[in-house]
Amino acid sequence: MSRPGLREMKREATAQALAEAAFDLAKARGLDGFVIDDVVERAGYSRRTFANHYSCKEAAVASVAYSGIDAAVSALEDVSSDVPLLDAIHAVLRLQLTTETLSRMREVIRLSREFPSLEPYVHHVQHRMRLEAEQRLRLVAADRYPPTYVSLLFGALYGMVSSALEGLVDVRLPGDTSSGPGSLEFDQFLDVAFKHLRSGF
């Protein structure tokens, strides 16, 4: 599968730097506590560069958390085709969905609840990443699995991760002291979820 060229990699790095600057400012000051000029000053770019990547500060903040999902799907490209798809996905999620990535995702969702103007941008990024991730998963699966299987599997995986990030299931990340006594560590949650995926509900 083709890898992005140097120009595209630089573009992605610039977009990520701007997104991280906006995200850090949102965490520190709230979404109403900074403007685009603060973002570009913090990231070391111009307003024109910002405009080449994002329509507003909300769009930049929303995009920061989902690079982890993108990285997880990219990692699947390097897994041997001899490994069953479900096993490969399980292993990749364990490695790629790090504490930092998951914490960012949770924080963006929390910010969107606190600042409603952010919510539609979060939904847009989630939708875009879901479509891209499913398309890339289809390429990884190639002709080894029927298209219906891949779609259903991806839908189940997406719902599984979303339930943990949105607080529908009490999943505790390392260093998280806010969860209740019956909460699951994220790795435990993955084991339970994949057990159901393999054997049914």
Side-chain angles (χ1 to χ4, degrees), residues 1 73 85 132-152:
M1 193 171 295
V73 177
L85 187 59
E132 180 183 337
E134 182 171 355
Q135 180 182 29
R136 291 170 67 181
L137 183 59
R138 285 178 181 276
L139 294 174
V140 170
D143 57 357
R144 295 183 294 143
Y145 299 89
T148 302
Y149 173 85
V150 176
S151 290
L152 292 174

Side-chain angles (χ1 to χ4, degrees), residues 4-180:
L6 181 60
R7 178 176 295 182
E8 182 60 26
M9 290 173 63
K10 287 183 176 180
R11 178 176 172 79
E12 290 176 1
T14 299
Q16 186 66 18
L18 290 165
E20 288 178 2
F23 177 64
D24 289 343
L25 287 166
K27 286 194 302 180
R29 305 181 189 177
L31 199 62
D32 300 329
F34 68 98
V35 294
I36 290 175
D37 284 341
D38 297 319
V39 177
V40 298
E41 180 179 352
R42 187 181 186 100
Y45 293 99
S46 66
R47 282 185 65 99
R48 181 177 180 180
T49 299
F50 182 94
N52 287 337
H53 293 278
Y54 301 110
S55 60
C56 58
K57 63 183 180 181
E58 287 87 353
V61 172
S63 72
V64 73
Y66 298 96
S67 61
I69 294 291
D70 192 39
V73 177
S74 295
L76 277 173
E77 298 170 9
D78 298 323
V79 176
S80 169
S81 60
D82 296 334
V83 178
L85 187 59
L86 192 58
D87 292 340
I89 293 170
H90 191 180
V92 166
L93 288 181
R94 275 183 171 279
L95 292 173
Q96 294 294 326
L97 290 185
T98 63
T99 300
E100 179 183 6
T101 298
L102 292 165
S103 296
R104 283 183 170 194
M105 291 178 178
R106 277 190 171 176
E107 183 65 15
V108 166
I109 291 171
R110 186 198 67 77
L111 285 167
S112 72
R113 290 171 178 161
E114 184 177 352
F115 301 98
S117 64
L118 180 59
E119 192 169 8
Y121 295 93
V122 172
H123 289 314
H124 172 74
V125 170
Q126 287 176 321
H127 179 68
R128 178 172 53 83
M129 290 304 299
R130 176 174 180 164
L131 292 178
E132 180 183 337
E134 182 171 355
Q135 180 182 29
R136 291 170 67 181
L137 183 59
R138 285 178 181 276
L139 294 174
V140 170
D143 57 357
R144 295 183 294 143
Y145 299 89
T148 302
Y149 173 85
V150 176
S151 290
L152 292 174
L153 174 60
F154 184 82
L157 291 167
Y158 186 87
M160 175 188 80
V161 173
S162 296
S163 69
L165 294 176
E166 295 175 11
L168 301 175
V169 178
D170 192 3
V171 176
R172 185 174 66 254
L173 301 180
D176 184 3
T177 59
S178 62
S179 297

